[in-house]
Amino acid sequence: MPRKKPIQRPMPRKGSCIPAFHKLSIEERVRTIRDRGLISQEDYKSLLAGRNVLSLDNAGAMIENVVGVMGLPVGLGLNFLVNGKDYVVPMAVEEPSIVAAVSYAAKTAREAGGFTTESTEQLLIGQIQIMDVPHPTRARAKLLRHKEEVLNLANSLHPRLVARGGGARELEVFLFPAASGKAEMVVIHLLVDTRDAMGANLVNTMCEGVASLVETISGGKVFLRILSNLADRSLVRARIRVPHEELTNNGFDGEQVRDGIIIAGEFADIDPYRAATHNKGIMNGIDAVALATGNDWRAVEAGAHAYAARGSRYTSLTSWRKDDEGNLVGEIELPLKVGIVGGSLQSNPTVALNLRLLGVKSARELAEVMGAVGLAQNFAALRALATEGIQHGHMTLHARSVVSAAGAPAELFDTVVDRVVESGEIKIWKARELIQEVSLEAGPSEITTPADPQMGVGHGKIILFGEHAVVYGKRAIAAPVPLAVRARIVDTDSGVWIVMPRWGIELRLHDDPKKRSAIEATGAVILEELGLGDRHMRIETYSEIPRAMGLGGSAAVAVAIIRALDIHFELALSEEEINLLAYRAEQVAHGTPSGIDNTVATFGRPILFRAGSPPEIEEIYFDKPLRFVIGITGAESLTAKTVARVRKAREKNRPVIERIFRGIDALTGQALAAIKHHDLEQLGDLMNVCHGLLNSLQVSSWELEELIQIAREHGALGAKLTGGGGGGSMIALCPENSEKVIRAMNDGGYQALEVSVS
Ligand code: NAD
């Protein structure tokens, strides 16, 4: 009796999670996928022997002038669970990290239930362009009346396709406006169900085949007959829903990663420059599957990008949002008209093997898996970018780009950024709403953040007299400005975060003290000194003071943070303790401060100050307020540099420089008397002389000089630089003509504001 041949059944597929797959050798990987029933013994052997590679003969039959074949790595995207079915996804791509990224993303997605996908009916559009139509509107109506006739003719050209359940399904007619005086153009869309083929050749043949019938019906002349790659009648949607707990990554809490992904997604929504890179990443995954499965990736690319540009601007193919339970929801929608038969698919043995390995039963199923791969790639990329972004302050930068996109005027910009971040809605609509709100509140030259009793406040300052000399024990006069820094504390689950939207800062306090920036060092020393080093929190700081403009921003930040901690943790600190701690923070962040900035930032009163331990501080009372204009150069004040320059000059020529310091000190004394008698002419003269002395120390800059000239020419009684110099700000005494001075400064391209010192 002849022995019965055992029936070769493929082993059951064992899921797409293969632990430690990346650690195996290539041979071990091939064996593993065979042992799991993902490939047959035949395919196993041909993979190991390299027999699956396209032969020269086959290559020669595919394109012209063939001289060889070119290899590309094929890797496996693991962990894919799509509509409850497991897929191991072959991906052909030369770029590292793509396969690892999608596998990692698919693993997170899988733990959250995997991808769900859906697709529209897979129709390919064939276009027939008809020119010289005598009555376009009538021709359209007639073509629609003869629709069945055209569809029947198209189907008769591909009876086998019809037998498989496919064929031409629908006909649409469009009229396009006349160009250069010619008659309107009539364009037919023939919608064809090409079943498991991509269908380019099938549809082209149909379009050509019905051309003469179309001419007879329309009375025009058929010109182009070709498919469209904007395959928007063949849409795929894929979706994932990930609980935020699953997003915890590298010590970043899940909610933050989720929100970061959403913000990164919004960036791509609003900005074509970002969208291009965002979508390129998506196509990293999709193209790799298209190549591995023998599909025309140029067609896939053309369709995806044309679809991304279908609205008023090129935008993202994905969307990311938070649902009511706080889960991250990601969706992708794009046209994918791919095939598992036809074209070059059969000629390349690797393609056939890859398709068997992937295990899709139809072109539609392949398209849906590709959609899931695109979404996985985007998820992985955004998660990585968002985590980076969280560390490096991209969230507040995003708020700045949203506010810019919403069209905030320059003078309101920073305030709107603050409010957008405070609102927690980093959205264009919110920014627009807040622009309105802030515009209504804003005075002509001064915009402040509304006071909130739960927030700690630190004041900005100007130095009226005595900068630089104060470092060498001379007196200085300083006064607060109505610009403040406000801070509040929000409890969080992990880490200490410092958020300063206006200065574009959003960072997590580095564990390693050596790696901390000045602002981190400020935060860290304050927390340690207050015994709060082990608490988790977000320190939100809203500053009206421009950064590094010589207006005492850093001391004001320190004071605002200390006060916010005092309020939040009910520490009952005295004003003196707050001042001392702010001084300590200034020392850590900036080296050797005189102590004047933290004192004004704390007490918010004009003072006469002499450095020492303890410093001599005397409050100054003004009978009548003094009106100054602050001109801001926009160039960072290089205080450390100018202080160092003065020190060097002093070392070189001590008697001369000491005489200048004494001169400044004398001016400070005279200024006190002038303030007491409200002698503004004298005060202005003293300011001008003081600036001359500061100039002799070479601490001015051309911007400062320009602002000072503008102020004097427009009627300021006196003008000088304020603070460290080398950039930063200047002040002008303008009792009557402040508006004129401000306008002139603005015309010169500088920011300026009026302050009243009392
Ligand atoms: P094709 O010409 O090979 O047609 C598919 C063939 O497969 C048909 O003969 C059909 O009868 C047969 N078939 C067997 N089983 C089938 C099934 N289940 N469902 C459907 N058909 C089945 O290939 P195509 O898909 O018409 O065209 C794809 C090729 O066209 C690609 O190689 C592409 O590069 C190329 N192309 C693309 C463009 C473009 O995108 N703009 C233009 C021209 C050519």
Side-chain angles (χ1 to χ4, degrees):
M1 234 172 87
R3 283 212 356 240
K4 256 192 185 170
K5 223 178 154 190
I7 300 168
Q8 287 252 329
R9 280 204 189 87
M11 285 171 64
R13 298 167 72 88
K14 277 194 194 150
S16 59
C17 289
I18 311 179
F21 192 66
H22 63 284
K23 292 188 185 152
L24 304 178
S25 67
I26 293 178
E27 285 78 15
E28 284 169 333
R29 288 182 199 143
V30 177
R31 196 175 321 122
T32 304
I33 57 174
R34 180 206 55 190
D35 294 349
R36 288 182 157 246
L38 295 164
I39 52 169
S40 66
Q41 179 66 12
E42 263 314 285
D43 286 342
Y44 165 73
K45 282 197 210 150
S46 87
L47 267 177
L48 282 188
R51 279 203 308 274
N52 59 312
V53 179
L54 179 67
S55 69
L56 269 179
D57 282 348
N58 279 358
M62 284 168 83
I63 62 164
E64 310 74 34
N65 299 350
V66 168
V67 291
V69 292
M70 191 181 111
L72 267 184
V74 176
L76 297 184
L78 301 180
N79 308 317
F80 276 89
L81 185 66
V82 183
N83 301 329
K85 181 175 168 183
D86 263 292
Y87 293 94
V88 167
V89 185
M91 301 174 74
V93 64
E94 85 295 346
E95 190 179 328
S97 303
I98 293 172
V99 175
V102 295
S103 302
Y104 177 48
K107 193 166 180 210
T108 309
R110 175 186 197 88
E111 276 150 20
F115 297 86
T116 47
T117 63
E118 57 186 72
S119 48
T120 59
E121 197 182 5
Q122 301 279 288
L123 301 175
L124 187 60
I125 301 168
Q127 293 191 297
I128 304 165
Q129 178 194 24
I130 320 166
M131 304 303 291
D132 305 327
V133 181
H135 302 287
T137 327
R138 229 181 284 165
R140 175 169 63 184
K142 211 169 160 201
L143 282 164
L144 289 173
R145 272 203 308 279
H146 288 80
K147 182 164 85 178
E148 287 310 318
E149 208 179 315
V150 178
L151 294 179
N152 287 341
L153 176 59
N155 284 331
S156 72
L157 300 164
H158 277 294
R160 280 165 53 205
L161 182 65
V162 176
R164 288 189 188 96
R169 294 269 188 261
E170 190 51 87
L171 181 145
E172 292 170 346
V173 187
F174 301 92
L175 302 185
F176 288 106
S180 57
K182 295 210 166 171
E184 261 178 317
M185 188 193 295
V186 180
V187 176
I188 292 180
H189 279 191
L190 197 61
L191 307 183
V192 186
D193 178 348
T194 61
R195 299 275 95 184
D196 287 329
M198 180 254 178
N201 295 320
L202 290 170
V203 167
N204 287 348
T205 333
M206 283 184 174
C207 290
E208 272 162 33
V210 299
S212 78
L213 173 61
V214 162
E215 284 182 348
T216 311
I217 299 169
S218 64
K221 191 96 197 80
V222 166
F223 196 52
L224 297 192
R225 291 143 278 180
I226 188 160
L227 83 152
S228 168
N229 285 111
L230 175 49
D232 62 0
R233 307 301 291 259
S234 207
L235 292 178
V236 164
R237 287 183 203 101
R239 184 167 180 271
I240 45 170
R241 198 172 136 272
V242 185
H244 63 80
E245 298 84 8
E246 306 281 342
L247 294 168
T248 308
N249 190 17
N250 287 342
F252 295 103
D253 74 62
E255 287 188 14
Q256 224 141 11
V257 176
R258 176 199 63 200
D259 296 345
I261 290 174
I262 293 170
I263 285 168
E266 280 170 7
F267 185 11
D269 274 349
I270 58 174
D271 177 15
Y273 289 89
R274 172 64 208 141
T277 318
H278 179 97
N279 291 342
K280 187 272 178 187
I282 292 170
M283 303 314 287
N284 274 342
I286 292 178
D287 285 346
V289 185
L291 257 176
T293 56
N295 275 286
D296 181 341
W297 54 269
R298 287 91 52 210
V300 171
E301 279 279 323
H305 295 294
Y307 192 65
R310 70 198 179 284
S312 55
R313 63 166 182 265
Y314 182 87
T315 186
S316 163
L317 290 166
T318 57
S319 69
W320 294 92
R321 64 183 170 83
K322 169 172 91 169
D323 71 8
D324 292 342
E325 284 105 58
N327 303 306
L328 174 72
V329 179
E331 274 166 337
I332 188 169
E333 181 180 279
L334 81 166
L336 276 170
K337 190 74 191 83
V338 289
I340 56 167
V341 294
S344 64
L345 273 67
Q346 266 80 15
S347 333
N348 192 330
T350 308
V351 165
L353 193 156
N354 288 342
L355 280 167
R356 287 194 290 277
L357 172 56
L358 181 58
V360 290
K361 299 281 176 292
S362 66
R364 191 169 181 164
E365 190 182 348
L366 172 61
E368 292 190 15
V369 171
M370 286 168 84
V373 172
L375 184 60
Q377 202 292 333
N378 190 233
F379 177 40
L382 295 192
R383 177 161 52 181
L385 287 173
T387 317
E388 274 269 298
I390 291 164
Q391 184 59 41
H392 295 113
H394 291 188
M395 195 116 61
T396 54
L397 291 180
H398 177 57
R400 298 180 78 82
S401 88
V402 163
V403 171
S404 160
E411 66 277 14
L412 306 184
F413 187 83
D414 286 338
T415 311
V416 178
V417 170
D418 278 353
R419 303 266 182 103
V420 165
V421 172
E422 239 183 309
S423 75
E425 296 263 22
I426 305 175
K427 304 270 164 55
I428 292 193
W429 64 264
K430 189 71 193 176
R432 290 205 178 109
E433 199 177 287
L434 290 168
I435 291 169
Q436 289 280 316
E437 193 180 298
V438 173
S439 314
L440 288 174
E441 288 167 15
S445 61
E446 199 179 288
I447 304 135
T448 54
T449 308
D452 174 345
Q454 284 310 301
M455 282 188 157
V457 180
H459 303 275
K461 65 102 202 18
I462 46 174
I463 293 186
L464 303 185
F465 287 89
E467 47 273 277
H468 286 288
V470 74
V471 180
Y472 299 91
K474 304 291 181 279
R475 294 168 297 172
I477 299 172
V481 289
L483 296 177
V485 175
R486 292 185 169 77
R488 72 167 170 214
I489 308 298
V490 180
D491 291 319
T492 57
D493 295 337
S494 77
V496 173
W497 293 84
I498 301 176
V499 178
M500 301 186 68
R502 190 169 293 201
W503 294 2
I505 291 174
E506 178 165 356
L507 42 83
R508 187 187 162 107
L509 213 66
H510 221 289
D511 291 336
D512 181 353
K514 285 199 275 310
K515 292 188 176 158
R516 287 177 185 156
S517 60
I519 178 73
E520 283 176 89
T522 301
V525 73
I526 292 170
L527 291 172
E528 275 154 32
E529 298 271 331
L530 293 176
L532 299 168
D534 57 345
R535 302 296 182 100
H536 302 298
M537 69 188 85
R538 189 168 68 248
I539 302 170
E540 292 181 2
T541 310
Y542 300 98
S543 174
E544 294 155 3
I545 306 172
R547 186 182 195 174
M549 286 301 135
L551 300 174
S554 72
V557 165
V559 169
I561 292 176
I562 298 165
R563 286 216 168 104
L565 291 164
D566 184 38
I567 294 165
H568 190 78
F569 295 103
E570 298 177 356
L571 304 173
L573 298 175
S574 70
E575 291 293 87
E576 208 35 66
E577 283 171 317
I578 291 170
N579 188 26
L580 268 176
L581 183 49
Y583 180 64
R584 173 95 189 87
E586 284 276 275
Q587 272 182 321
V588 170
H590 306 291
T592 51
S594 65
I596 197 165
D597 285 17
N598 51 279
T599 307
V600 180
T602 306
F603 297 103
R605 288 289 312 148
I607 52 165
L608 177 68
F609 182 93
R610 190 196 293 272
S613 50
E616 288 170 29
I617 300 165
E618 202 180 295
E619 202 171 321
I620 303 175
Y621 294 93
F622 291 72
D623 285 344
K624 289 184 205 156
L626 294 182
R627 285 163 78 184
F628 290 95
V629 166
I630 301 179
I632 301 172
T633 62
E636 278 201 17
S637 166
L638 307 167
T639 308
K641 217 171 169 181
T642 52
V643 167
R645 182 183 299 155
V646 173
R647 180 171 301 124
K648 223 167 163 190
R650 184 171 172 266
E651 277 162 17
K652 219 168 143 191
N653 207 344
R654 198 164 168 156
V656 173
I657 302 296
E658 280 294 344
R659 215 168 300 141
I660 294 170
F661 290 157
R662 281 200 298 277
I664 292 176
D665 191 62
L667 291 172
T668 305
Q670 290 177 51
L672 273 176
I675 288 168
K676 202 168 165 194
H677 299 113
H678 201 67
D679 186 347
L680 302 187
E681 293 271 344
Q682 164 74 347
L683 193 63
D685 286 347
L686 294 171
M687 285 171 70
N688 286 335
V689 177
C690 186
H691 184 71
L693 291 181
L694 288 166
N695 242 337
S696 68
L697 296 173
Q698 294 186 51
V699 293
S700 190
S701 71
W702 68 263
E703 293 99 337
L704 284 168
E705 292 305 314
E706 187 171 20
L707 279 165
I708 286 165
Q709 279 310 318
I710 292 173
R712 288 177 186 158
E713 268 172 28
H714 290 83
L717 294 182
K720 63 180 277 292
L721 67 84
T722 182
S729 304
M730 53 72 70
I731 48 171
L733 182 62
C734 305
E736 268 143 31
N737 42 13
S738 57
E739 275 174 28
K740 203 169 147 198
V741 172
I742 288 173
R743 215 174 311 119
M745 287 178 175
N746 289 343
D747 289 347
Y750 296 101
Q751 260 190 300
L753 65 137
E754 188 192 329
V755 294
S756 169
V757 173
S758 56

